[in-house]
Amino acid sequence: MATQDKNRATAAAILPLVGGAANVSSIAHCMTRLRLGLHDRSLVDDEALKAVPAVMGVVEDDTYQIVLGPGTVARVTPEFERLVAEAGASGPAAAPPPAGSPSPGSPAASAKELADRGAAMKAARKAKNATPFKLFLRRIANIFVPLIPALIGCGIIAGLNGLLVNLGWLTSVTPALAAMASGFMALIAVFVGFNTAKEFGGTPILGGAVAAIIVFPGVANIDAFGQKLSPGQGGVLGALGAAALAVYVEKWCRRWVPEALDVLVTPTLTVLISGLVTIFGLMYVAGEISTAIGTFADWLLSHGGAGAGFVLGGLFLPLVMLGLHQALIPIHTTLIEQQGYTVLLPILAMAGAGQVGAAVAVYFRLPRNESIRRTIKSALPAGLLGVGEPLIYGVSLPLGRPFVTACVGGAFGGGFIGLFNQLGDKVGSTAIGPSGWALFPLLDGNRGLGTTIAIYAGGLLVGYLTGFLATYFFGFGKDLLAEFDVSREPAASPATATGAPEKEPAGV
């Protein structure tokens, strides 16, 4: 089947299972997930969705999120949008099958039990995370998530360019590659300003215009707080603050400026007031904060080393559960802007390694439970590439103790990389988003690329091994084993009773 036909088939399989085109209010995607706004959540058939071959899992948050994985989601989303548009033009969509109805390939009983537990935990987490502070963090994340594809593309080009420069190859091409890799980062403040204004309800282009002041070379001629400003001073944090201020000024103008003058006065006052505050206040303050973030990250890993890595790697999965991990996105972006890479992401990626190791241990500890083993086998490749939701919500979190032992694996993996940071071997990522094996093309550091890759690979191995051992020996109590280490297949047939080998039922 052609790739485009395959992607359209996936989109066509998903659409009726989310209630049809009439039930879809919005469509977006991030690195791994198709994010849908739905009118009626009850029309969604979760189990049938999970049985779609391309679907790795589902996550319910402020939107309904279908995990398709990196690359796949960017190809399926346009096909899904086309199907929704076509259905809207041709009339009402066909009614979806009733939720909970049987479907080919549906998970067996025990996997469904785990999925139900995972769904309940997700619902509880969603309710807990609906606090004003966490909703604010989610909005901050919405500003930066659309920038991730450009960060990844430019980061990989930067890595390739660095390799060619070190080898002395293609010297006539490397300056062009450097321009491609650096162009986006030089103007990232403008994109952050644009997205900030869009997220907070202002005019996006005005947010971008105010943020552009930060990177304009002419600010070098301006004195503020007794010193010359530098182009880019304040970085993405300054751009975020400047655009947020622009939104506030714009909304104030919309309320008080007469409609006849609005088109002239509102944009002018928005840029003027926000621009002056940015130049004579925000750039300096945000610059000091950005410098402090970089200094603290360096200090933390150079002095805390293994201990800091242990804590960061071990706590990242709980931070994800609490919705607090979104606060790290501006920090990662600031470090990339300052140093060329973020030293925090490779450490935090070890949480996924511990999760993979724990899942493999669950696979071996439940040899009789074919349904859970099938779930693990289908989700493991995505887990190795850094897409952890199917393993988290489908296996470890509902089981309880294996989630804790997965965090232990992440802690030891993070401690391993933190130790090398303390010894002077920094391991960083030139972009945010990918994790697991998918992070290899984005690795950078203060040593050779081979050393950086070896340290990161060593951290993954430590995370895998520790997560496996901790889960295998400490992840199951007698009650949990008694409940789940049993066959959940249908009752034995007469042939089985007479001693013939039992065959797995078709469609399970």
Side-chain angles (χ1 to χ4, degrees), residues 262-462:
D262 182 72
V263 70
L264 297 174
V265 174
T266 297
T268 304
L269 288 179
T270 298
V271 175
L272 179 63
I273 296 173
S274 304
L276 288 172
V277 174
T278 298
I279 291 170
F280 294 105
L282 281 177
M283 285 184 67
Y284 177 82
V285 174
E288 294 298 306
I289 295 173
S290 298
T291 301
I293 288 173
T295 302
F296 178 73
D298 288 338
W299 178 88
L300 180 66
L301 294 179
S302 62
H303 291 78
F310 188 92
V311 172
L312 290 171
L315 291 182
F316 186 63
L317 286 181
L319 284 177
V320 173
M321 298 299 101
L322 294 172
L324 297 176
H325 66 297
Q326 296 170 110
L328 296 171
I329 296 178
I331 296 175
H332 287 312
T333 309
T334 298
L335 291 174
I336 292 171
E337 193 177 33
Q338 283 185 344
Q339 304 175 1
Y341 51 81
T342 168
V343 292
L344 298 180
L345 186 58
I347 291 175
L348 300 176
M350 295 302 107
Q355 180 64 52
V356 168
V360 174
V362 171
Y363 182 88
F364 284 106
R365 287 291 274 161
L366 302 179
R368 300 182 183 88
N369 196 318
E370 288 301 322
S371 63
I372 291 180
R373 286 162 67 93
R374 276 193 296 273
T375 298
I376 294 172
K377 281 192 289 186
S378 65
L380 201 57
L384 291 170
L385 291 174
V387 183
E389 291 93 339
L391 289 176
I392 294 172
Y393 293 114
V395 181
S396 65
L397 187 61
L399 286 172
R401 200 184 295 182
F403 179 78
V404 177
T405 52
C407 293
V408 172
F412 276 88
F416 180 88
I417 294 182
L419 175 62
F420 278 91
N421 271 275
Q422 189 173 12
L423 296 175
D425 296 307
K426 291 185 178 180
V427 178
S429 170
T430 57
I432 57 177
S435 183
W437 293 3
L439 198 61
F440 277 110
L442 297 167
L443 292 177
D444 196 3
N446 62 339
R447 305 295 188 192
L449 183 60
T451 301
T452 302
I453 290 176
I455 295 172
Y456 180 72
L460 287 178
L461 290 175
V462 170

Side-chain angles (χ1 to χ4, degrees), residues 84-101:
V84 171
E86 290 168 6
S90 61
S101 62

Side-chain angles (χ1 to χ4, degrees), residues 82-125:
R82 275 191 280 272
L83 287 174
V84 171
E86 290 168 6
S90 61
S101 62
S103 60
S106 293
S110 59
K112 185 178 185 304
E113 291 170 9
L114 283 186
D116 290 342
R117 292 188 189 183
M121 291 177 176
K122 280 187 281 185
R125 180 175 63 87

Side-chain angles (χ1 to χ4, degrees), residues 19-401:
N23 195 38
V24 178
S25 61
S26 65
I27 305 170
H29 75 88
C30 60
M31 282 295 299
T32 60
R33 307 177 189 180
L34 172 62
R35 297 170 178 256
L36 303 178
L38 301 174
H39 297 295
D40 186 352
R41 171 65 180 83
S42 67
L43 296 178
V44 178
D45 189 338
D46 296 296
E47 295 306 317
L49 265 175
K50 294 174 186 176
V52 174
V55 174
M56 299 176 179
V58 297
V59 178
E60 187 174 1
D61 208 333
D62 54 329
T63 55
Y64 190 79
Q65 302 169 14
I66 302 170
V67 184
L68 297 172
T72 302
V73 68
R75 293 168 172 80
V76 171
T77 301
E79 298 295 338
F80 189 86
E81 290 173 333
R82 275 191 280 272
L83 287 174
V84 171
E86 290 168 6
S90 61
S101 62
S103 60
S106 293
S110 59
K112 185 178 185 304
E113 291 170 9
L114 283 186
D116 290 342
R117 292 188 189 183
M121 291 177 176
K122 280 187 281 185
R125 180 175 63 87
K126 181 182 177 183
K128 283 185 178 180
N129 287 350
T131 63
F133 176 66
K134 291 175 184 176
L135 291 174
F136 173 76
L137 290 181
R138 188 173 300 154
R139 299 188 79 172
I140 297 299
N142 290 341
I143 294 167
F144 289 91
V145 166
L147 306 180
I148 289 177
L151 285 169
I152 292 173
C154 295
I156 291 177
I157 292 173
L160 175 62
N161 185 61
L163 179 62
L164 293 175
V165 169
N166 290 334
L167 294 174
W169 294 353
L170 301 176
T171 54
S172 62
V173 176
T174 51
L177 292 177
M180 296 176 200
S182 304
F184 173 74
M185 290 306 301
L187 297 175
I188 190 173
V190 179
F191 296 100
V192 169
F194 184 95
N195 287 347
T196 300
K198 182 179 179 181
E199 178 65 26
F200 286 96
T203 302
I205 198 65
L206 291 179
V210 174
I213 297 169
I214 292 173
V215 295
F216 176 60
V219 298
N221 300 319
I222 300 173
D223 288 309
F225 297 95
Q227 63 183 35
K228 293 281 188 181
L229 293 175
S230 301
Q233 185 174 339
V236 295
L237 297 183
L240 196 156
L245 175 62
V247 171
Y248 177 83
V249 174
E250 181 188 359
K251 289 182 176 179
W252 182 88
C253 290
R254 300 288 185 203
R255 287 198 302 269
W256 295 103
V257 173
E259 289 185 10
L261 300 175
D262 182 72
V263 70
L264 297 174
V265 174
T266 297
T268 304
L269 288 179
T270 298
V271 175
L272 179 63
I273 296 173
S274 304
L276 288 172
V277 174
T278 298
I279 291 170
F280 294 105
L282 281 177
M283 285 184 67
Y284 177 82
V285 174
E288 294 298 306
I289 295 173
S290 298
T291 301
I293 288 173
T295 302
F296 178 73
D298 288 338
W299 178 88
L300 180 66
L301 294 179
S302 62
H303 291 78
F310 188 92
V311 172
L312 290 171
L315 291 182
F316 186 63
L317 286 181
L319 284 177
V320 173
M321 298 299 101
L322 294 172
L324 297 176
H325 66 297
Q326 296 170 110
L328 296 171
I329 296 178
I331 296 175
H332 287 312
T333 309
T334 298
L335 291 174
I336 292 171
E337 193 177 33
Q338 283 185 344
Q339 304 175 1
Y341 51 81
T342 168
V343 292
L344 298 180
L345 186 58
I347 291 175
L348 300 176
M350 295 302 107
Q355 180 64 52
V356 168
V360 174
V362 171
Y363 182 88
F364 284 106
R365 287 291 274 161
L366 302 179
R368 300 182 183 88
N369 196 318
E370 288 301 322
S371 63
I372 291 180
R373 286 162 67 93
R374 276 193 296 273
T375 298
I376 294 172
K377 281 192 289 186
S378 65
L380 201 57
L384 291 170
L385 291 174
V387 183
E389 291 93 339
L391 289 176
I392 294 172
Y393 293 114
V395 181
S396 65
L397 187 61
L399 286 172
R401 200 184 295 182

